[in-house]
Amino acid sequence: MRETLKDLYTTELLQTVAGRIGEVYARFDEGRFLGLIHNEAWEQEEFKQRVRHITMALTEVLPGSYPEAVAILTQAAPFFRGVEYIFFPDYVELNGMDQWETSMEALAVFTHYSTAEFAVRPFVIRDQERMLAQMATWAESDDEHLRRLASEGIRPRLPWASQLPSLIRDPRPALPILERLKEDPSLYVRKSVANHLNDISKDHPELVLELAANWYGKHPLTDWIVRHALRSLLRKGDIRALAIFGYQELEELEGIEVRELKIKRPLIAVGEELEFSFQVVNDTGSPVSLRIDYEIDYMKASGKLAPKRYKCSDKRYAPGCWTVEKKQSFKLISTRRFYSGDHRLHIIVNGKRLASMDFVLEGAE
């Protein structure tokens, strides 16, 4: 059973790739290719390391002429779809930095079958102006994969990828591309635009807030982007972000309360769920837009508490008393380590903590 991304690279997958390339390039040495991959380093490598390992093996067995090698890979790539095949665009990143036109044509093909979002970044770092012009061209494409690449490839803080220091310092050169894509019919593209803006908000919140205020309310597809783009600021309870969506500061509202916060079992073990409920009371006399989050102060190895906020509810509440029930899993996952001890739960409405309660986690480190 596959457990991690690196385990996608089975012997069967690599043999299938080698066989397909061999159909295109009769001199392809499949045995040498597989031998170069399955060396002493392979078992210890993680996903991105294995991607580069495969790329280097391809570099050894394909023709020394870069255009000839790319032409071979371009014919083979359409038979392989999925993130595990990003060694096709990675070949361009490793070997094609000095042959710009050939590389751009290849990346435009490869991104359709895996993604070239990682491979374009060294080109951006080397010549940002030229690559932004290329991205602007791709943003006009009929192919949603190219339109997404126009945004995703220049995200300043793309996960798993090298950062783009120049665009972190000043993201404004990328904004015309996002402007072009703000009403894109493809959810695939809109997600990238939202994630791109969320990246920018971590370094330039004022810039994103200004853009969001200008965009919001003009088109439903753009509204979706804005809401997802501001998710980090909304989770922080940023009153400027909340105001864009009509959430008032609670200081301006009388009659909004959280009552009867209850934790079903205040002592839970790792692997179980924290079950809790509370009442939202609206005594204002009118429907009110409320964004309700809950925050857990997790015990850390240092003995200190570190908060993590989660979305709970985001809607208009009519006058009355409304019961909300939630569960939060404490199952072991690779992205979070749990520590035994006192934890704390907070209920946050429109950015303000209105109720808190302690609980204890046991059975962790």
Side-chain angles (χ1 to χ4, degrees):
M1 180 177 177
R2 181 175 67 83
E3 295 182 352
T4 64
L5 277 174
K6 73 176 185 178
D7 296 321
L8 288 167
Y9 293 122
T10 62
T11 299
E12 181 182 10
L13 180 147
L14 295 169
Q15 288 174 337
T16 301
V17 170
R20 181 62 65 178
I21 294 175
E23 292 178 11
V24 178
Y25 175 49
R27 295 171 59 191
F28 187 77
D29 189 336
E30 179 177 339
R32 184 174 177 226
F33 171 65
L34 296 174
L36 287 168
I37 291 174
H38 291 120
N39 62 16
E40 63 278 1
W42 177 255
E43 288 302 321
Q44 306 304 317
E45 292 176 334
E46 297 304 322
F47 177 68
K48 287 296 292 291
Q49 293 172 310
R50 287 189 171 187
V51 170
R52 180 51 58 94
H53 191 139
I54 296 168
T55 301
M56 294 176 69
L58 285 171
T59 301
E60 288 292 321
V61 295
L62 286 171
S65 164
Y66 175 68
E68 185 180 351
V70 164
I72 293 167
L73 294 177
T74 299
Q75 293 179 69
F79 295 93
F80 305 103
R81 292 177 179 268
V83 69
E84 61 267 39
Y85 300 109
I86 61 173
F87 52 80
F88 284 97
D90 192 61
Y91 185 90
V92 174
E93 176 184 339
L94 181 64
N95 297 285
M97 292 296 297
D98 296 323
Q99 300 196 45
W100 198 87
E101 290 82 1
T102 301
S103 293
M104 292 303 107
E105 292 175 3
L107 291 176
V109 173
F110 294 151
T111 202
H112 193 87
Y113 305 107
S114 54
T115 177
E117 65 197 65
F118 307 112
V120 297
R121 299 174 80 80
F123 292 91
V124 177
I125 292 171
R126 175 177 286 192
D127 192 339
Q128 178 173 299
E129 184 176 354
R130 190 178 191 186
M131 275 306 298
L132 287 176
Q134 178 65 66
M135 295 298 192
T137 298
W138 283 339
E140 300 286 345
S141 173
D142 291 335
D143 185 342
E144 67 174 355
H145 297 274
L146 282 177
R147 299 198 308 276
R148 176 184 181 271
L149 180 60
S151 166
E152 197 75 1
I154 52 175
R155 279 180 58 184
R157 295 185 179 275
L158 180 68
W160 288 13
S162 55
Q163 295 184 353
L164 299 178
S166 178
L167 289 175
I168 289 175
R169 289 191 300 271
D170 181 8
R172 289 173 297 179
L175 295 186
I177 293 170
L178 304 186
E179 183 79 30
R180 170 64 183 82
L181 299 172
K182 69 180 181 181
E183 297 177 10
D184 199 279
S186 168
L187 179 60
Y188 189 47
V189 177
R190 296 198 305 277
K191 282 183 177 180
S192 177
V193 175
N195 289 335
H196 192 143
L197 289 171
N198 186 55
D199 278 4
I200 296 173
S201 75
K202 297 172 183 177
D203 301 292
H204 305 277
E206 296 288 350
L207 178 63
V208 175
L209 286 165
E210 180 181 358
L211 182 146
N214 289 333
W215 282 10
Y216 192 69
K218 307 291 177 57
H219 193 285
L221 297 180
T222 310
D223 289 352
W224 186 94
I225 290 174
V226 170
R227 186 170 290 275
H228 286 266
L230 295 184
R231 63 185 183 273
S232 291
L233 294 174
L234 289 170
R235 278 199 297 266
K236 292 178 180 178
D238 188 297
I239 58 174
R240 299 162 300 176
L242 290 164
I244 289 174
F245 303 108
Y247 301 112
Q248 292 178 261
E249 291 188 64
L250 292 191
E251 285 76 5
E252 301 174 359
L253 289 170
E254 293 185 4
I256 299 296
E257 295 182 72
V258 169
R259 299 176 184 167
E260 299 294 324
L261 173 60
K262 297 178 181 179
I263 293 178
K264 185 175 181 180
R265 290 183 295 117
L267 175 62
I268 63 169
V270 169
E272 297 179 341
E273 292 180 322
L274 178 72
E275 300 180 57
F276 60 96
S277 63
F278 55 92
Q279 294 179 351
V280 179
V281 179
N282 176 6
D283 280 340
T284 65
S286 303
V288 177
S289 294
L290 300 178
R291 178 188 170 95
I292 303 174
D293 299 306
Y294 64 94
E295 187 173 87
I296 294 178
D297 291 340
Y298 288 96
M299 177 64 68
K300 307 305 291 182
S302 64
K304 297 181 179 180
L305 296 176
K308 171 75 174 177
R309 191 171 293 191
Y310 304 90
K311 185 177 178 180
C312 179
S313 175
D314 182 359
K315 64 181 184 180
R316 288 180 68 79
Y317 281 81
C321 181
W322 309 92
T323 299
V324 179
E325 298 179 341
K326 293 295 292 185
K327 297 179 181 180
Q328 177 65 29
S329 174
F330 278 80
K331 293 181 180 179
L332 290 173
I333 55 175
S334 60
T335 55
R336 179 172 293 279
R337 299 180 70 176
F338 297 116
Y339 297 90
S340 296
D342 295 334
H343 290 57
R344 188 168 297 123
L345 169 69
H346 307 281
I347 308 302
I348 300 163
V349 180
N350 288 10
K352 185 176 181 179
R353 288 180 179 176
L354 292 188
S356 301
M357 191 171 183
D358 293 337
F359 65 97
V360 177
L361 178 70
E362 62 179 6
E365 297 183 25

